[in-house]
Amino acid sequence: MRGRTGAGRKWHRMQQAVGGWGPAGPPPGAQGSPTGPHTTGWTAPPVPEPAVHPGGPGPAGTTLAVLLIGPAGAGKTTVARHWAASRQVPTAHVSLDDVREWVCSGFADPRSGWNSHSEAQYRLARRTCGFAARNFLANGISCIVDDAVFPDRPAEGLGGWKRHVGPGLLPVVLLPGLEIVLERNAERQGTRRLPDEEVARIHGRMAGWYGSGLPIIDNSHYDVPTTARALDEALARALAAMPPPGR
């Protein structure tokens, strides 16, 4: 501890209290460490099996990890927030776009096009969301994350999310018609509003989810509560198809 200032000692104690890295810095292989994300020596804690609460079996009374997939303008964030707020058990909503916009100086604006800089910030935001979801789940709090995951990039998309959160992640696709997402996109503000051509391109790529086996909800003519109920029904079917724990 020699040479550490009072503020430094206080920070060190805070890191120890929350399970931080300590004086030696991040563990080998931790994201953001000098050794990079692909080195070995550190493993994320396991995600617990879905736990049934007094609310009963099914999605309403179960601790879940949900990934809500859809194009820009599908209503993912609005539906996810409503679903999380109306559940019987503690539930958190983690928005990828919100986390991505934590970057202030040097933010890669998606309206300026896709490049290595914006891709790197998306990857970082996804890892951050995954860590947050695992932490909520480890403390008995369900979590729903929303993201525009493409079916033609399985390793970076759905596969990446399952690596970040855990194999028990339940993905559901929200896919209204193109005219609907264009209308909703026109109502968005700031960096959330994309050019129509980009929205159409993203929507076209999302069509690849048909035939994937994932539950798909066409919420073109649903309001938010109705879409949330459809999400619950899709999760109930997914839970019923899961093998019992330990098998």
Side-chain angles (χ1 to χ4, degrees):
M1 297 293 288
R2 179 175 299 173
R4 184 176 282 139
T5 65
R9 287 193 295 271
K10 182 178 180 182
W11 172 251
H12 174 64
R13 289 194 297 270
M14 289 172 63
Q15 287 290 86
Q16 288 181 321
V18 299
W21 290 337
Q31 301 291 354
S33 70
T35 54
H38 301 296
T39 56
T40 60
W42 181 82
T43 304
V47 174
E49 295 284 347
V52 178
H53 291 262
T62 306
T63 301
L64 300 174
V66 180
L67 175 64
L68 193 59
I69 300 168
K76 301 184 300 298
T77 300
T78 303
V79 170
R81 185 178 293 117
H82 177 87
W83 182 83
S86 58
R87 297 197 73 221
Q88 299 177 15
V89 297
T91 304
H93 167 226
V94 179
S95 169
L96 176 78
D97 282 339
D98 286 348
V99 172
R100 189 172 52 82
E101 290 173 356
W102 287 354
V103 177
C104 297
S105 177
F107 175 72
D109 192 331
R111 296 172 299 180
S112 301
W114 189 259
N115 52 47
S116 59
H117 190 39
S118 56
E119 185 169 357
Q121 289 191 5
Y122 268 99
R123 285 199 306 268
L124 178 59
R126 287 181 175 123
R127 289 197 300 268
T128 304
C129 290
F131 293 159
R134 295 183 78 98
N135 202 16
F136 282 121
L137 292 167
N139 287 277
I141 299 176
S142 292
C143 189
I144 182 168
V145 184
D146 60 271
D147 185 17
V149 177
F150 294 117
D152 54 357
R153 299 189 68 184
E156 299 86 353
L158 186 55
W161 275 114
K162 289 189 174 183
R163 288 193 303 273
H164 297 327
V165 180
L169 182 69
L170 298 173
V172 178
V173 181
L174 206 59
L175 192 54
L178 175 58
E179 68 282 358
I180 299 298
V181 298
L182 288 172
E183 289 175 7
R184 293 174 181 171
N185 178 68
E187 298 172 355
R188 302 170 92 178
Q189 303 293 325
T191 61
R192 303 292 176 93
R193 181 172 179 175
L194 301 177
D196 285 352
E197 297 79 7
E198 181 68 7
V199 172
R201 185 186 70 83
I202 293 172
H203 186 274
R205 290 179 67 182
M206 289 288 170
W209 287 118
Y210 285 105
S212 67
L214 295 187
I216 297 177
I217 301 171
D218 181 349
N219 62 325
S220 297
H221 305 292
Y222 291 173
D223 60 13
V224 173
T226 303
T227 306
R229 288 194 296 272
L231 175 58
D232 261 333
E233 293 169 1
L235 293 171
R237 291 191 295 268
L239 285 172
M242 290 179 64
R247 289 190 181 180

